[in-house]
Amino acid sequence: MNVRERSKTHIGIIHLQEELLSNISQNKILKVNNVSRGTKTINEILSLKRFLIILDDVDNTYQIETLLGQCDCFASGSRIIMTTRYKSLLVKRNGLSTYDSGVKELNEYEATELFRNHAFLDNKLYEDYLELEKKAIHYAKGLPLALKVMGADLCGKTLNEWKDALDYYEKNPHEEIQKVLKRSYEGLNKNEQNIFLDIACFFKGYDMNYDMIRDVLKACGLNPKYGIQKLIEKCLLTIGKDKYLLMHDLLQQMGMNIVRQEAPREPRERSRLWCFEEVLDLVTENMGSDKIRSIILWSPKPEPEEVQLKTQFCKIKNLKLLMIRNVHCCDGPLECLPNGLSLLDWREYPFSSWPSDFFPKKLVVLNMPFNRLEEPLKQICASLTYVDFSECKLIRKIPDLSTTPNITKLNLRWCRNLVEIDDSMGHLDKLKVLDLGGCHKLETLPSCLTMKSLTSFNLVLCNRLKKFPDILHEMKDLKSLHLGNCTNELPPSFGNLTGLKDLILTMSFRGQAHLPCSIYNLHIEMLELSGDFIFPKDVEIDRQPLCNSLGCFSKYVFPSLKQLCLNFFKIRSEIDFILNHCCSLTLEELYIFQSKIVTLPESMSKCERLHTLLIRYCNEFREILRLPQNIRQVEVVNCHSLDSQSFFQF
């Protein structure tokens, strides 16, 4: 029973009830006077014996309740098969178990078989059609509907007709396919339709995850949290790896076609522009528009295309989303940008400054790696949440960020001339990700950190840092910290990083580095040390001395440690301390490279979970006294002092 189309009116529901009754009762001409009486009669019959009922294209709860009631009176063994675009309808109803199978994309074998069933009368492929068949199947992307419709459309046609049809499909969506797919779109409200079109025309395949897209759409006046969930429920969207939004190619093509039909012959009367030639005409002819809300200027050519931007972008009055990539702007300076932008994505922005009157109060995402701005955050407003200024060679200082308190991600990776960061950065309460990796000249960080939301902090290859900031308050969310060649001493407050699980410290070129006593407060699971580190020993842990009067060790300092890696250790006593005191019962992997280790202590046999041991380029290493029974991999490479006698002890 096709439910959606036939249930749009009161009479249509009654006719559906009558059809169902005629199939499940002995009275084939049973009439229904009203909907409630029809539902009651259906329930009475369904309670008497087992049935198999198939309801196709259900799109609301009312349809289910008028045809099946509360689903609590079925005879044992009855089965109901229901197809719907709404996942929310597939929930347990009064003990009735449901199975959400979804419509999966067909694999290559299944797609080929389905296509041939409709494209060839004898289900036999002729060799001349093989390449064209592959092209058709690739176009369908595993969608059964597309395979059926195209197969039927191409059936009986000549080779040249196949070629012409497939060329046409790539530029013009097949009407029958689009007609069926468009039903789901037409069932959306205005908010959901706008979100769908933005994703289809702008965000699909774009390097932004769900959180970023949600914030941008919210700034555009939409309700993305509710709307995106509705699109997922209707199977118009899925969320893939790393929270990226995915959409079938044919659904995207449908969305783009809907936008084209807003003004087939006049691009600037449409809401969204993405075709390079159409956008180029707009931005080089200095034309205005009240309709356009998003623009992508992206050259499809391998090399950046030369573009003379004569337009004043502010003439596009309602522009919210602007992305410019793979074009080289040979005219400048830029006179104006719209202050209503929510997203600005302009890689290799060629100008040294912003337009003088650019104050984007609604700007949420600023994605501008490789730009040539000297003061990139000078005029940015409080709405900003995501900033990417990676590999910007002209940035020397990050200014006061107190006017941008909502930043959650700040990427300054490989800003090679960045020297100083203002203290205000250390007080960004909403900042989650801070990447300063590769900032070789960076000398000054904020004097203290109070970033309670910080989850990731990268300082790899920041070789000139003079001091690591004080941690004024407990920071529970920071899980990973990589400090590379950055300081000889960590502050006593380092132990306030109570959520830290992965810690990488590199001091290879700084002599000896002293670790604070507070480091023992951390429940580290992965610890990598490169260089000579001095561990604090005159300290108590949980009121037990770290060393007794005989110099023995009384307690493990990292009781949760699973992986330990030691590189370039020259101080033998510290190596002994680490191996005796850090290798707890939880240790699973131990790596020692280019260090002055002599003996692997007998205490290692207590590490019952240790399964991997790698020792490489340790020229003074002589013996392994004892290992746990569960060890699975032992690799000793280029340790020249280790002779055959040592292996007998192993």
Side-chain angles (χ1 to χ4, degrees):
M1 301 177 65
N2 191 318
V3 176
R4 185 179 66 88
E5 289 293 335
R6 299 175 59 187
S7 63
K8 292 182 177 180
T9 65
H10 183 76
I11 296 298
I13 286 286
I14 289 178
H15 288 165
L16 280 172
Q17 289 180 330
E18 290 176 345
E19 182 178 338
L20 179 57
L21 285 169
S22 70
N23 284 294
I24 64 176
S25 69
Q26 295 179 351
N27 186 351
K28 300 300 181 182
I29 56 172
L30 189 62
K31 294 295 182 180
V32 174
N33 295 324
N34 59 68
V35 173
S36 59
R37 179 58 188 168
T39 302
K40 184 178 180 181
T41 304
I42 291 170
N43 273 251
E44 290 173 351
I45 297 175
L46 291 180
S47 66
L48 299 177
K49 58 181 179 178
R50 291 181 297 175
F51 288 97
L52 169 64
I53 298 176
I54 301 175
L55 303 180
D56 183 36
D57 204 4
V58 176
D59 67 354
N60 63 62
T61 302
Y62 179 70
Q63 296 163 351
I64 300 174
E65 292 176 349
T66 54
L67 293 174
L68 302 177
Q70 295 300 318
C71 304
D72 57 356
C73 62
F74 297 152
S76 177
S78 293
R79 294 290 183 269
I80 309 296
I81 298 176
M82 180 173 66
T83 66
T84 178
R85 293 178 174 88
Y86 289 96
K87 289 185 177 181
S88 59
L89 297 179
L90 300 175
V91 295
K92 292 187 176 181
R93 304 174 59 85
N94 296 330
L96 178 67
S97 297
T98 62
Y99 174 66
D100 175 13
S101 64
V103 179
K104 309 298 182 184
E105 294 180 6
L106 302 181
N107 60 36
E108 185 176 357
Y109 174 79
E110 294 167 335
T112 301
E113 186 175 29
L114 179 61
F115 179 76
R116 289 180 181 177
N117 285 339
H118 292 81
F120 302 101
L121 293 174
D122 53 4
N123 196 25
K124 180 180 178 182
L125 174 67
Y126 298 93
E127 188 173 350
D128 292 346
Y129 287 81
L130 184 59
E131 289 302 317
L132 293 175
E133 181 194 60
K134 291 180 180 178
K135 187 175 181 180
I137 292 172
H138 176 74
Y139 172 83
K141 294 290 193 300
L143 187 67
L145 168 67
L147 292 163
K148 290 179 181 179
V149 172
M150 285 196 303
D153 188 32
L154 295 171
C155 185
K157 288 185 168 58
T158 66
L159 197 64
N160 286 332
E161 288 174 327
W162 270 55
K163 291 178 181 178
D164 293 340
L166 291 174
D167 288 341
Y168 181 82
Y169 293 158
E170 289 188 352
K171 299 177 182 178
N172 305 276
H174 192 289
E175 292 182 3
E176 287 300 315
I177 298 173
Q178 296 295 303
K179 182 179 178 180
V180 176
L181 294 178
K182 197 174 179 181
R183 291 177 186 172
S184 295
Y185 173 81
E186 292 170 344
L188 302 173
N189 62 34
K190 195 66 175 178
N191 173 68
E192 294 155 6
Q193 287 181 347
N194 273 314
I195 292 172
F196 175 82
L197 295 179
D198 276 338
I199 294 172
C201 300
F202 202 89
F203 293 119
K204 180 182 181 289
Y206 183 53
D207 50 358
M208 287 174 59
N209 63 25
Y210 167 78
D211 294 331
M212 299 172 72
I213 294 173
R214 179 197 60 200
D215 289 351
V216 170
L217 294 176
K218 185 177 180 180
C220 292
L222 301 174
N223 184 354
K225 187 174 182 180
Y226 177 80
I228 289 177
Q229 185 57 41
K230 279 294 182 182
L231 296 179
I232 292 172
E233 289 177 2
K234 294 199 74 171
C235 302
L236 295 172
L237 280 181
T238 57
I239 297 182
K241 187 179 180 181
D242 298 326
K243 298 179 72 174
Y244 283 90
L245 292 177
L246 306 177
M247 177 186 291
H248 194 283
D249 287 354
L250 292 178
L251 287 171
Q252 181 188 29
Q253 194 176 39
M254 177 193 73
M256 289 178 164
N257 191 52
I258 290 172
V259 174
R260 287 192 190 97
Q261 295 308 310
E262 293 173 353
R265 297 184 179 181
E266 185 49 73
R268 50 181 189 151
E269 293 299 312
R270 302 175 195 160
S271 60
R272 300 156 179 88
L273 284 184
W274 62 89
C275 176
F276 181 70
E277 290 77 14
E278 292 174 343
V279 176
L280 199 59
D281 288 342
L282 178 75
V283 300
T284 57
E285 295 301 325
N286 202 15
M287 296 186 294
S289 172
D290 294 331
K291 304 288 187 179
I292 298 174
R293 67 190 302 274
S294 65
I295 287 178
I296 304 174
L297 179 60
W298 193 338
S299 171
K301 297 181 179 180
E303 297 296 326
E305 185 145 347
E306 296 282 341
V307 175
Q308 290 187 346
L309 290 177
K310 296 180 181 178
T311 185
Q312 296 183 13
F313 279 106
C314 60
K315 289 189 175 182
I316 308 172
K317 297 180 180 180
N318 292 310
L319 192 63
K320 306 294 184 185
L321 314 175
L322 175 61
M323 182 169 72
I324 299 178
R325 294 189 181 183
N326 202 37
V327 297
H328 177 68
C329 301
C330 51
D331 194 11
L334 191 65
E335 296 180 14
C336 183
L337 281 171
N339 285 327
L341 286 176
S342 296
L343 179 146
L344 177 58
D345 182 311
W346 194 333
R347 299 193 176 209
E348 301 185 62
Y349 178 83
F351 312 113
S352 61
S353 62
W354 297 109
S356 59
D357 59 350
F358 183 50
F359 296 98
K361 296 180 180 180
K362 296 182 179 180
L363 191 64
V364 173
V365 173
L366 190 57
N367 195 35
M368 300 182 67
F370 304 96
N371 72 65
R372 298 188 61 81
L373 288 166
E374 296 178 0
E375 297 180 289
L377 290 166
K378 183 178 180 180
Q379 293 166 278
I380 308 306
C381 67
S383 299
L384 198 63
T385 57
Y386 298 89
V387 178
D388 186 348
F389 285 141
S390 57
E391 307 213 35
C392 297
K393 298 179 180 180
L394 299 183
I395 300 177
R396 296 185 56 82
K397 180 181 178 179
I398 299 300
D400 184 357
L401 297 178
S402 58
T403 58
T404 57
N406 293 306
I407 292 180
T408 61
K409 182 177 181 180
L410 180 56
N411 185 359
L412 298 169
R413 191 177 181 89
W414 295 108
C415 290
R416 292 171 173 82
N417 292 305
L418 178 63
V419 177
E420 182 182 354
I421 293 176
D422 188 80
D423 262 6
S424 58
M425 180 187 288
H427 303 284
L428 295 175
D429 283 347
K430 297 182 181 180
L431 188 63
K432 295 180 180 179
V433 179
L434 177 57
D435 194 342
L436 295 167
C439 296
H440 298 300
K441 295 184 180 181
L442 183 62
E443 297 179 357
T444 305
L445 287 174
S447 58
C448 61
L449 300 182
T450 60
M451 297 181 288
K452 59 184 180 181
S453 300
L454 196 65
T455 61
S456 178
F457 190 11
N458 183 17
L459 288 166
V460 177
L461 298 176
C462 296
N463 301 332
R464 297 189 183 182
L465 279 176
K466 298 174 181 178
K467 183 183 177 182
F468 188 80
D470 288 322
I471 313 298
L472 295 189
H473 307 293
E474 186 178 17
M475 293 173 60
K476 297 181 180 180
D477 292 333
L478 184 61
K479 306 301 181 184
S480 176
L481 178 60
H482 193 158
L483 301 178
N485 298 330
C486 61
T487 180
N488 283 11
E489 188 171 352
L490 296 175
S493 58
F494 193 79
N496 281 333
L497 300 175
T498 54
L500 203 60
K501 299 297 182 184
D502 298 345
L503 176 60
I504 300 176
L505 300 176
T506 303
M507 310 291 178
S508 301
F509 308 106
R510 293 293 188 101
Q512 298 177 358
H514 292 263
L515 298 176
C517 298
S518 61
I519 198 171
Y520 296 147
N521 296 336
L522 307 179
H523 291 274
I524 296 173
E525 295 180 0
M526 190 282 289
L527 177 62
E528 181 175 335
L529 302 173
S530 296
D532 286 332
F533 289 84
I534 307 298
F535 278 76
K537 302 177 182 64
D538 186 16
V539 64
E540 293 184 356
I541 301 177
D542 296 337
R543 296 188 179 182
Q544 295 185 31
L546 190 58
C547 298
N548 60 27
S549 58
L550 299 177
C552 298
F553 308 112
S554 60
K555 190 167 185 177
Y556 291 115
V557 292
F558 298 120
S560 303
L561 192 64
K562 295 181 180 180
Q563 184 184 107
L564 175 63
C565 182
L566 306 176
N567 302 306
F568 306 104
F569 258 81
K570 299 177 183 178
I571 306 176
R572 192 170 298 159
S573 60
E574 294 301 317
I575 296 176
D576 292 339
F577 173 82
I578 296 169
L579 294 180
N580 280 282
H581 220 61
C582 295
C583 298
S584 66
L585 300 177
T586 60
L587 189 67
E588 298 176 359
E589 302 172 43
L590 176 60
Y591 306 95
I592 306 175
F593 305 139
Q594 300 189 56
S595 299
K596 289 193 175 184
I597 179 175
V598 175
T599 301
L600 201 64
E602 190 171 356
S603 60
M604 293 298 302
S605 63
K606 297 180 181 179
C607 300
E608 296 178 354
R609 297 185 184 179
L610 184 66
H611 57 73
T612 301
L613 172 65
L614 273 63
I615 303 177
R616 296 175 179 171
Y617 300 98
C618 296
N619 292 327
E620 298 183 25
F621 183 56
R622 296 178 183 175
E623 59 181 354
I624 302 175
L625 294 178
R626 192 176 175 187
L627 286 176
Q629 294 181 350
N630 292 329
I631 195 81
R632 295 199 298 268
Q633 180 183 1
V634 177
E635 184 178 312
V636 182
V637 178
N638 287 334
C639 297
H640 302 300
S641 297
L642 189 68
D643 56 26
S644 59
Q645 296 297 319
S646 304
F647 283 103
F648 289 129
Q649 296 179 54
F650 168 62

